[in-house]
Amino acid sequence: MPDEVSPHPSRRVVVGGGLAAVAVGSYLSATSAEGTPVAEAMRQVSLTVNGERRKLAVDPRSSLLDTLRDEVGVTGPKKGCNQGACGACTVLLDGQRVLSCLTFAVLHDGQEVTTVEGIADGDRLHPVQQAFMDHDAFQCGFCTSGQIMSAVALLEEEQPGIAEERIPEAMSGNLCRCAAYCNIRDAITSASATMAKGR
């Protein structure tokens, strides 16, 4: 498996593949000197989540998504398909959008994770968050955090602004079962203009 895998050709999504996956596989299949499977042992991992350094003891089989939700208590990333197809679990890992259900937490020791809870400036919403509200770019809201995080990364990638016709393809990895796509596109276009003015 390559180190960068995407179920959507328009989207680069980093997952724990290649040698890293082999290393985790070797770890899972190993046994301790006492004959106890090492997979039963916890691993110490240090993650900076939304600006706060967290030292965690995690099961080496735990996904980044499960670690964020169950160990850190961050519930913005959602478990939708748990197969990397819906995008509801999208977070930023060292500034790049990733599907957190597809990678092991132990592979990201020392890295920085940003979720939807960490992009506002105090009470001031991120321009993408504000635009989603202004343009009613959500209905049930389940996919919204993943949509927002993907849009935040996209607008950083596309400085100083994104062409409106690029948005559907660039956001194709994030599904909205309520089909609020037109409003999502309008929100991203509006946020792009706001962020371009601020640069």
Side-chain angles (χ1 to χ4, degrees), residues 119-131:
I119 60 174
D121 182 10
D123 292 333
R124 183 182 178 187
L125 296 178
H126 187 281
V128 174
Q129 291 174 305
Q130 187 63 57

Side-chain angles (χ1 to χ4, degrees), residues 11 47 49-50 63-82 86-93 98-103 113-119 129 141-150 174:
R11 183 165 176 197
L47 295 172
V49 181
N50 297 325
S63 68
L64 179 59
L65 173 62
D66 286 340
T67 299
L68 290 171
R69 291 182 61 83
D70 299 339
E71 304 301 325
V72 182
V74 173
T75 58
K78 297 295 189 284
K79 184 180 281 190
C81 66
N82 207 33
C86 74
C89 68
T90 304
V91 300
L92 303 185
L93 185 65
V98 301
L99 299 173
S100 59
C101 74
L102 288 185
T103 187
V113 181
T114 306
T115 71
V116 71
E117 292 93 338
I119 60 174
Q129 291 174 305
F142 190 83
C143 73
T144 304
S145 59
Q147 298 274 3
I148 287 174
M149 296 311 295
S150 191
N174 292 83

